[in-house]
Amino acid sequence: GECRRKGVRTVLVLSNGRWPDMVDALRAARLRTEEIRIPSKAGFGFIERLRLDVMERLLSRFGAKDAHLPDLIVSTDDVVTEGAIAAFDGLGVAFPRDAGFVTFANAGNVPIYARRFTCLLNDPRTMAADLVGRVLGHLEGRRDAASEECRLAYAKGETF
């Protein structure tokens, strides 16, 4: 699809572990894929710690003069994206000039960047309704009460 049309050959997935099949799917599409997994830690201040962990990992990975950016960066979480923005901004990287960037985000909570992000949007209201439907269905003895798949909408932005 879109990756082939844009000549993408290499992808970096910034993962918090939520989408384990993504790397396999990208590799099955014959895209050279690297994953940097940054697990979220529970507790007070976990969002700030996650942003800082992401920023530090990316500064370490891409801070060398001979480091090569992938054609596309995919982030599985809006908070992970915020840490990535801080790191890449510090390295002088701009999207889409130097690499494409697509982020997963909740509708209404897309990370702020100089250009509108290209996103895979999840609507938390739909997700909550599906969850309530599954719980009620389970309580009523129905197994097919609601979909278990996450429905995402591709929102074309300016970063890919």
Side-chain angles (χ1 to χ4, degrees), residues 40-151:
S40 182
K41 299 170 182 114
F44 182 76
F46 78 94
I47 291 176
E48 182 178 352
R49 276 198 315 275
L50 179 57
R51 284 185 196 119
L52 287 170
D53 287 350
V54 171
M55 183 182 73
E56 289 168 358
R57 291 278 300 273
L58 292 174
L59 288 172
S60 174
R61 167 70 176 78
F62 293 104
K65 292 195 186 281
D66 62 346
H68 295 285
L69 288 168
D71 299 322
L72 175 63
I73 299 163
V74 178
S75 173
T76 65
D77 183 87
D78 43 9
V79 175
V80 169
T81 298
E82 291 168 356
I85 291 168
F88 287 122
D89 184 56
L91 295 169
V93 174
F95 307 109
R97 181 192 71 204
D98 301 313
F101 200 124
V102 175
T103 184
F104 281 69
N106 289 319
N109 191 40
V110 175
I112 301 299
Y113 182 66
R115 296 180 178 271
R116 190 170 36 89
F117 259 102
T118 301
C119 298
L120 294 169
L121 289 175
N122 170 56
D123 187 336
R125 296 167 297 187
T126 302
M127 194 163 94
D130 283 350
L131 177 61
V132 169
R134 282 196 303 273
V135 169
L136 291 174
H138 179 73
L139 292 173
E140 295 170 354
R142 292 182 287 128
R143 299 216 185 270
D144 62 343
S147 169
E148 290 190 25
E149 70 182 45
C150 181
R151 287 179 243 146

